[in-house]
Amino acid sequence: MLDTTAAQRGALGYSEAAGVTSADLVKLNIGDMPPTLEGVEHGTYPYGQTEYAYTFGEPPAGSVAAAFLRYLTDQGGKDILREYGNRPCSETRYPLVCRPT
């Protein structure tokens, strides 16, 4: 998506800030705040994202679905976020901002 957006004049795309490395892409500010991990962590960049996982009832304890949900909400998933320059919302200064409204 980032390559396609960079190649198309006037195109808009969405990515985590750490993923924008091309000089052909422009990160957009919200208000006067640039999109940085530090801005999200300190509550100065007013953006958060909530991911949803839907199941048909409670997945059985030994199922792949249950394992995947544990991965998303436990340390393993958080470690992957950090590895790619992101931060779990629960670890920011204002974790409640990232909860669904």
Side-chain angles (χ1 to χ4, degrees), residues 62-99:
S63 69
V64 172
F68 183 65
L69 292 174
R70 277 193 306 279
Y71 165 78
L72 290 176
T73 57
D74 287 345
Q75 196 62 42
K78 291 178 180 181
D79 288 345
I80 297 293
L81 285 173
R82 284 188 216 95
E83 181 180 339
Y84 288 93
N86 299 299
R87 185 80 62 237
C89 189
S90 61
E91 296 177 2
T92 64
R93 184 173 177 185
Y94 301 100
L96 295 179
V97 173
C98 301
R99 293 189 184 197

